[in-house]
C-alpha cells in the first residue's frame, strides 16, 4: 500500500495513528511475547532519506529493533538479520515514511525498489509506504527494460491511496469540515472554552486560514492555544488568532478565500438538518 498525497494533509499522522491502533490490537489479542519468548513488535516504522540505499534501509530497520549487528556486515547479511527480527518479533506491518526523498531514477532508488520487491516476497508483512507525489517521482513508473523494470513491478504490486484537503463546495464536504472542528474543539484545553467556540464561531475563519489542509489548521490552533494560556485569555477567538502566523502557503492563499467567505459567496457551515414531523 502507498499513501500518496500533497504535503500538509496529515499522511504521516494518519498512518502513525493507524499503526499505533494496529500495534495495540495485536498485543491485546496475542500477548506481549511470542510463543518462542521473543518480544512481540507488530509494527516496524522507518523514515527514509534521499541517500537511502538497500544497505541503509536494512541498517535502519535493524536500528529500529535495536539489533547489535546493525553497524557491521554486508547488505545480504543485514537483510538476513532484518528477516530474522521480523520473524522472531512477529512483525505484521512495515511502515516506510518519507519515500519521496528517494531518487527513483537513480541507482539508489532502483536498488530500494528491488529491495522492496524482495521484502514483499520474503517477509510475511504488509508494506505501507508514505510520501508526497510518489506517482510523479516514479515509484509506480512503467517500463519494460533496464532500470524501469523494477519500478514497473513495484507499480503492479502497490495499491495507491490518497488524501485530499477538506472542501466546502458541497454539503457533504461542509459536514465533514464541521465534524472535524467538533472533534478538535473537544480536545482544546482552556479554562474559558465553551461549546461552539471553534466549530461555530471560527468555522469560516479557520477554513480561510487553513485552505482545508489539516497541517495548516493545526498550526494556528496550537499557537493560539499557547498564546491564550500565556496571556490569560483562556479562550480562542478571531482577535487572538489574528496575532499568530501560519505557514506561508496558507497565508498566501488566505485573502481571496476569506473575501469570498465574508461576502457569503462561500460558506463552511452545513445547512441545518430538517426535523421530521412527530
Amino acid at each position: 500500500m502507498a499513501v500518496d498525497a500533497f504535503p500538509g494533509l496529515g499522511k504521516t499522522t494518519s498512518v502513525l495513528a493507524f499503526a499505533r491502533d494496529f500495534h495495540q490490537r495485536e498485543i491485546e489479542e496475542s500477548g506481549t511475547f511470542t510463543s518462542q519468548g521473543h518480544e512481540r513488535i507488530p509494527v516496524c516504522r522507518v523514515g527514509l532519506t534521499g541517500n537511502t540505499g538497500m544497505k541503509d534501509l536494512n541498517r535502519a530497520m535493524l536500528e529500529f529493533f535495536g539489533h547489535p549487528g546493525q553497524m557491521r556486515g554486508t547488505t545480504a547479511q543485514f537483510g538476513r538479520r532484518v528477516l530474522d527480527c521480523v520473524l522472531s518479533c512477529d512483525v505484521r506491518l512495515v511502515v516506510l515514511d518519507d519515500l519521496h526523498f528517494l531518487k527513483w531514477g537513480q541507482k539508489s532508488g532502483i536498488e530500494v525498489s528491488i529491495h522492496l520487491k524482495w521484502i514483499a516476497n520474503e517477509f510475511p508483512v504488509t508494506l505501507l509506504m508514505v510520501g508526497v507525489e510518489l506517482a510523479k517521482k516514479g515509484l509506480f513508473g512503467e517500463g519494460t527494460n533496464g532500470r524501469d523494470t523494477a519500478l514497473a513491478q513495484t507499480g503492479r504490486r502497490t495499491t495507491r491511496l490518497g488524501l485530499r484537503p477538506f472542501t466546502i463546495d458541497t454539503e457533504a464536504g461542509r459536514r465533514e469540515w464541521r465534524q472535524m472542528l467538533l472533534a478538535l474543539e473537544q480536545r482544546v484545553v482552556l479554562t474559558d472554552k465553551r461549546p461552539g467556540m471553534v466549530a461555530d464561531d471560527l468555522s469560516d475563519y479557520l477554513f480561510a486560514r487553513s485552505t482545508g489542509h489539516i497541517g495548516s489548521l493545526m498550526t494556528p490552533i496550537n499557537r493560539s492555544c499557547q498564546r491564550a494560556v500565556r496571556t490569560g485569555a483562556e479562550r480562542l477567538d478571531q482577535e487572538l488568532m489574528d496575532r499568530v502566523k501560519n505557514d506561508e502557503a496558507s497565508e498566501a492563499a488566505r485573502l481571496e478565500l476569506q473575501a469570498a467567505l465574508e461576502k457569503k459567496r462561500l460558506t463552511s457551515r452545513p445547512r441545518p438538518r430538517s426535523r421530521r414531523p412527530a
Side-chain angles (χ1 to χ4, degrees):
M1 311 292 288
V3 179
D4 181 14
F6 289 111
L9 295 179
K11 297 181 299 301
T12 296
T13 301
S14 299
V15 168
L16 290 181
F18 167 76
R20 178 197 61 207
D21 292 344
F22 178 77
H23 174 97
Q24 293 174 344
R25 188 184 71 192
E26 287 291 299
I27 295 297
E28 182 178 350
E29 291 180 355
S30 303
T32 305
F33 297 96
T34 68
S35 58
Q36 289 76 33
H38 302 295
E39 182 181 1
R40 189 183 306 280
I41 306 176
V43 180
C44 170
R45 184 265 177 192
V46 174
L48 305 186
T49 69
N51 296 319
T52 301
M54 284 194 296
K55 192 171 185 178
D56 301 309
L57 176 57
N58 287 337
R59 182 183 287 120
M61 295 179 73
L62 288 175
E63 184 179 356
F64 174 87
F65 291 107
H67 195 286
Q70 62 184 269
M71 299 308 298
R72 300 185 63 179
T74 65
T75 300
Q77 288 172 335
F78 281 175
R80 288 193 293 270
R81 293 168 191 166
V82 171
L83 178 57
D84 179 64
C85 288
V86 167
L87 295 175
S88 298
C89 298
D90 202 15
V91 177
R92 289 290 178 261
L93 177 67
V94 174
V95 177
L96 301 180
D97 202 358
D98 293 327
L99 217 65
H100 53 276
F101 287 146
L102 291 180
K103 299 177 176 63
W104 292 102
Q106 298 183 11
K107 181 180 178 181
S108 61
I110 299 296
E111 286 180 348
V112 172
S113 182
I114 294 173
H115 194 56
L116 295 181
K117 177 178 179 292
W118 177 73
I119 291 176
N121 286 339
E122 302 297 329
F123 289 33
V125 301
T126 295
L127 274 177
L128 181 53
M129 301 174 284
V130 186
V132 176
E133 294 189 311
L134 297 178
K136 284 187 178 181
K137 293 183 182 297
L139 173 62
F140 314 115
E142 293 294 341
T144 56
N145 54 51
R147 287 140 56 103
D148 294 334
T149 304
L151 296 180
Q153 291 180 332
T154 301
R156 293 292 183 184
R157 292 167 175 263
T158 305
T159 300
R160 180 173 175 264
L161 305 175
L163 287 175
R164 57 176 176 78
F166 289 94
T167 59
I168 56 173
D169 54 351
T170 66
E171 186 65 15
R174 290 189 287 270
R175 293 195 180 281
E176 190 177 58
W177 173 251
R178 177 170 175 78
Q179 289 301 315
M180 194 272 303
L181 292 184
L182 287 171
L184 284 179
E185 186 176 284
Q186 291 178 353
R187 288 162 175 77
V188 171
V189 182
L190 294 172
T191 303
D192 291 339
K193 183 182 79 170
R194 56 179 177 74
M197 180 183 70
V198 174
D200 292 332
D201 298 348
L202 297 172
S203 178
D204 286 354
Y205 175 82
L206 290 174
F207 190 86
R209 292 211 65 177
S210 66
T211 61
H213 289 71
I214 187 68
S216 300
L217 172 68
M218 295 309 301
T219 297
I221 285 184
N222 287 331
R223 292 175 179 174
S224 297
C225 286
Q226 294 172 13
R227 179 178 286 271
V229 172
R230 290 198 309 268
T231 61
E234 292 293 340
R235 67 182 183 279
L236 297 182
D237 56 34
Q238 184 171 336
E239 181 181 357
L240 181 141
M241 297 193 74
D242 277 338
R243 299 194 185 108
V244 302
K245 293 184 179 295
N246 202 1
D247 62 83
E248 183 60 26
S250 293
E251 292 294 346
R254 173 185 176 185
L255 294 180
E256 182 177 353
L257 185 55
Q258 186 169 321
L261 288 165
E262 289 175 351
K263 294 180 179 179
K264 307 302 181 184
R265 294 200 300 268
L266 283 175
T267 181
S268 66
R269 300 170 182 271
R271 292 191 299 269
R273 294 183 183 274
S274 58
R275 294 184 178 180
R276 294 181 178 179

